[in-house]
Amino acid sequence: PELLPPIQRVNLPAAVERWNQQLDSLKREKIALDAQIFDPRRLGSILVFYRFAMCFLLRQIDEQHMFPQQPFTMPEESASDAQQAAAGALDKWRMLPQFLFEDVVEFVVFLTMYSPDTLIDSTLQVGHGGDGLRTFDDIIPLFVVAFLARPGYISNPYMKAKLVDILHMLTYRDPREDSDYVDTHEGNVSDQSMRLHPSIHQFQTCLDASVLARKFLVPALLRFYVDIEKTGASSQFYDKFNIRYYLARTLRALWARGPLYVEATKQFFLQSVDAASSSKERGAATTTTTGSAKRDQQVVEEFVARLMTDTT
């Protein structure tokens, strides 16, 4: 205050008082907004609606278009299907407004970050249709895996990255159990500062029990690790490292759970090489996890190349 001119020095107490009042007013507004946004009843009602939206979107890409009355069937994706899909199923999908998918993803990301209790609320799990599917245990894991495994339905790479964010948050691994995590330096993580939410273990258990997740999740993550090299944005060079960081964290968390996903990774690598060799001999493409055998082999080769490039 001594550095201010005399006139400003005289008016300073009144200005500070006015600023404090404005700050208190903003705090009251924030508390009122938080009370509305984080209201469990409101979030629960929205989750019930988005359960319907997720089922609707999954039904559109279901091979039989019978979900949830019938189990979900992953749509085929191969080199020979590309032109046919562009003229058929993908055209129907593109008729839907993009916000249908974006709103669902954004809301699930919000819940995983700020209100995971709503996700595992038992009163919100089973729908009224009698299909027996649980929102958090069945529909959300299927939704994430299906759209990551078939990225042709989502043109925006940053929307796919948000699916990875959901996976990363719901497969989060305790940093104290991971020697390669940045926060394991001494003093950064204490025994009292880290307590994982029950939703994480519940989601991981549901992933382990899902046949589609065991078959498609690891190849989908490896494929996205390669595809995120180019996003079309001016900041793509920096964005890819952030997204790949979460992809790597998710893969490490899956591999740490046991041999299930480690074997799935080994099998994908071996099958891609074997399928590529056999397709060359027969002169025809072989349908595999991420498309043609040639595409699978390309994913493996580029993943190893990107991994080595990013770490050097």
Side-chain angles (χ1 to χ4, degrees), residues 24-95:
D24 291 339
S25 177
L26 291 174
K27 288 181 179 179
R28 289 193 296 269
E29 291 179 8
K30 181 182 181 301
I31 293 173
L33 290 174
D34 287 346
Q36 292 294 320
I37 293 174
F38 295 108
D39 180 16
R41 292 173 298 179
R42 183 184 299 272
L43 292 177
S45 300
I46 298 173
L47 181 60
V48 170
F49 171 76
Y50 280 129
R51 169 196 165 95
F52 166 79
M54 283 186 283
C55 289
F56 171 78
L57 294 174
L58 287 170
R59 186 186 184 96
Q60 305 310 305
I61 69 171
D62 181 16
E63 187 74 15
Q64 307 299 327
H65 300 288
M66 293 295 294
F67 184 83
Q69 284 72 26
Q70 298 293 332
F72 181 83
T73 304
M74 188 70 72
E76 293 293 335
E77 182 186 39
S78 65
S80 60
D81 290 334
Q83 296 178 351
Q84 179 181 356
L90 281 178
D91 276 352
K92 296 179 181 178
W93 172 264
R94 293 190 183 106
M95 295 296 180

Side-chain angles (χ1 to χ4, degrees), residues 225 229 240-241 244 304-312:
Y225 192 99
E229 180 73 17
K240 67 180 182 182
F241 292 114
R244 284 177 177 170
V304 175
R306 305 301 182 203
L307 190 63
M308 295 177 64
T309 303
D310 291 349
T311 54
T312 55

Side-chain angles (χ1 to χ4, degrees), residues 165-225:
D165 290 342
I166 295 173
L167 273 178
H168 174 254
M169 288 183 285
L170 292 178
T171 59
Y172 191 81
R173 190 181 177 198
D174 192 332
R176 293 165 295 184
E177 300 175 359
D178 190 350
S179 60
D180 193 43
Y181 190 54
V182 294
D183 284 343
T184 52
H185 297 299
E186 185 176 358
N188 287 352
V189 178
S190 63
D191 293 338
Q192 292 79 20
S193 63
M194 177 60 65
R195 183 176 299 174
L196 299 184
H197 194 270
S199 61
I200 295 177
H201 175 72
Q202 184 174 336
F203 185 83
Q204 291 175 337
T205 303
C206 297
L207 275 184
D208 294 345
S210 171
V211 176
L212 290 176
R214 294 197 299 267
K215 180 179 180 181
F216 292 101
L217 182 55
V218 170
L221 293 175
L222 296 178
R223 179 180 185 174
F224 189 49
Y225 192 99

Side-chain angles (χ1 to χ4, degrees), residues 82-135:
Q83 296 178 351
Q84 179 181 356
L90 281 178
D91 276 352
K92 296 179 181 178
W93 172 264
R94 293 190 183 106
M95 295 296 180
L96 299 174
Q98 191 173 359
F99 69 80
L100 286 179
F101 181 83
E102 291 180 354
D103 288 354
V104 172
V105 175
E106 294 282 0
F107 182 69
V108 176
V109 169
F110 175 83
L111 289 184
T112 55
M113 293 179 64
Y114 300 110
S115 185
D117 289 336
T118 304
L119 287 172
I120 59 176
D121 187 348
S122 60
T123 61
L124 305 173
Q125 293 302 303
V126 181
H128 299 289
D131 50 44
L133 296 176
R134 297 175 63 82
T135 303

Side-chain angles (χ1 to χ4, degrees), residues 247-269:
L247 282 166
R249 290 287 305 157
T250 302
L251 286 169
R252 285 177 61 84
L254 294 175
W255 291 334
R257 285 191 59 78
L260 182 66
Y261 295 101
V262 175
E263 291 300 321
T265 307
K266 292 180 180 179
Q267 186 177 8
F268 172 67
F269 273 65

